[in-house]
Amino acid sequence: MDVAAPPALAAYPFAAVVGQQPLKTALLLAAINPHLGGVLISGPRGSAKSTLARGLADLLPEAADKFVTLPLGASEERLIGSIDLQQAMGERRVQFNPGLLAKAHGGVLYIDEVNLLPDPLVDALLDTAASGVNFVERDGLSHSHPAQFILIGTMNPDEGELRPQLQDRFGLAVTLDETYDVEQRMAIVERRLAFEQDREAYLAQWRDAQQDLQTRIAAARGRLSQVLCPSDIQRDIASQCLAAGVEGVRADICWRRAAIAHAAWSGRDEVSVEDVAATRSFALSHRANHQDTPPSSGGSPPSQGGGNTGGSGGSSSSSSGTSGDWGGMPPQLMAADKPVTPQLPEIPTPGSPSSRRDTQRSGAEQRQGAAPGRAQLNRQAPSSRPDWFATLVHPDNRGDGLREIRYQPRRQGRDTLNCVLLDTSASTLSQRALAQAKGVILGLARQAYLAREKLAVLAFGAQRTEWIIPCRRAPKDITALLNELPAGGGTPLRQALLHARQLLARQTRANPHLTCRTLLLTDGRSRDPLDDLTWDSPLWVVDTEQAAVKLNRCRQLAQRLGAAYAPLAAVRAALEH
């Protein structure tokens, strides 16, 4: 006896969501013209991002039960499709097995935490969202199929930014910074509880409003091809894009499409100034001014009295001849020294539990003569993705069954994250330790850029931590950013290590094949308790202490965490460029 599958629970009505009008407008424009290229939503948790995305799917008459979610750990094969393994192994013929892009055709493809997805998946998503066709050329397979869907990606900026090249390829973007007032919060709770108590009655209550939205979307779609965009409006869009300093003309194209869709939604046959103004932020907010901007150095550091000062650690000497309490000084600027290629020692293999996994992973690399400090990075290692075409044509597989499965090589640079923690407390100003440490970071960033690796830089000082470079593809030059990074106050070392550990956990959860290495540049002059901290990925502690009487806290920290220890002078031993 066949058991019927339980019916899917109805989504919360789009029309019933309180507030978030800019996001509602952007989603409706994407529904009117799916070729806009998707909507990127940036905002904190609990701001109705996923609720509105699910509700939008219910407004599309052809998208019944077509709300497709892309999980963080999804492979590229699951997304775009691949060879049908059963056909390949059983009948030894190549046949296409559709992926999530095919399943989402005509509906909504939703990605939560899109900033944590590997870049190849985001590239494939945006290519298909813009063209409406999924082209698959891989593993001896050539296939294409229609894939017209509304792409909705959400992200929390606190968990890392999406690199600018990928942000630019999203057609529209919305940043949610709306704070609900008392009346709105009460309305949200009241409506949500009513929906959970009796879904059918609540859906019936909002059926007319939902039907009105469906009718308007269908009418706007029908009017879309008839809407004209006058030349003066086109010139205005181009002028504003030029003034915003956007790169390329993708902003112009998306903005014009969005303005046309807004005019169609408003029942007009010609784009007006009102349509341009209403869609301006959607097209420009994620594209304008992508230069690296230094954090504000204004204001005084928090009071150091009675708390974790750690900035002076008993040192009262300065390269500038200043004496007194380092932690009590206002923030000071210190430009970076010339970039140097860092020379890092091997991660210690015996003893520390935190290094056992790294030892097993790097054993083969060490036998092959890997360079010191690079044993953790075997960029030629195979990935876990099978190469089915190479497998099928392999001589050992020409009989019955598969005896040898071939794997595709891992793509260079895509699976490496360099996480840098820079101590910017006041004590690092002594003997230009901060300038030398910045030079090491410049050299490491240059290496990461050339290898197409990811980079994240966290500065900690003045009792605060800040990701000055979120986790993203390493930029070409970060000199200006580091030069304007001030130093002062105490050393929140524990907070920096915890934030870095959280970032690494999120990134490895999103990409299990990611290789992470962390570089901690500090003088160790912190009063934070660190005995309970553990570290389970490659870690280098670079000691920037320059005082005449050294406390050797960094050496003790490295031993506690199973990390490699090196003084700053040894790390800077490479030739300067």
Side-chain angles (χ1 to χ4, degrees), residues 93 352 565:
R93 64 188 181 91
S352 173
Y565 168 84

Side-chain angles (χ1 to χ4, degrees), residues 116-162:
L116 301 184
L117 278 181
D119 287 349
L121 266 65
V122 182
D123 281 327
L125 279 168
L126 296 173
D127 281 339
T128 307
S131 65
V133 180
N134 180 32
F135 295 95
V136 182
E137 298 281 350
R138 60 186 306 169
D139 300 336
L141 179 71
S142 179
H143 182 81
S144 65
H145 64 79
Q148 295 185 0
F149 51 83
I150 300 171
L151 176 63
I152 302 176
T154 66
M155 56 179 281
N156 186 341
D158 294 338
E159 298 178 346
E161 296 287 347
L162 190 66

Side-chain angles (χ1 to χ4, degrees), residues 181-257:
D181 58 30
V182 173
E183 297 299 325
Q184 288 177 317
R185 298 177 75 92
M186 292 175 59
I188 291 172
V189 174
E190 182 179 356
R191 292 184 183 185
R192 189 71 202 187
L193 293 179
F195 173 71
E196 294 176 356
Q197 182 176 3
D198 191 340
R199 290 176 180 260
E200 293 299 327
Y202 192 81
L203 294 175
Q205 177 184 347
W206 288 93
R207 186 169 293 122
D208 290 343
Q210 290 283 99
Q211 184 62 48
D212 180 63
L213 287 176
Q214 289 179 325
T215 302
R216 291 190 64 183
I217 290 174
R221 283 186 170 185
R223 186 182 294 111
L224 191 65
S225 60
Q226 304 171 7
V227 177
L228 301 177
C229 187
S231 58
D232 60 330
I233 295 294
Q234 298 178 28
R235 185 177 300 276
D236 183 31
I237 291 175
S239 298
Q240 293 195 51
C241 288
L242 185 63
V246 299
E247 297 181 2
V249 295
R250 186 174 283 118
D252 305 60
I253 297 172
C254 293
W255 193 353
R256 187 184 300 185
R257 286 176 174 170

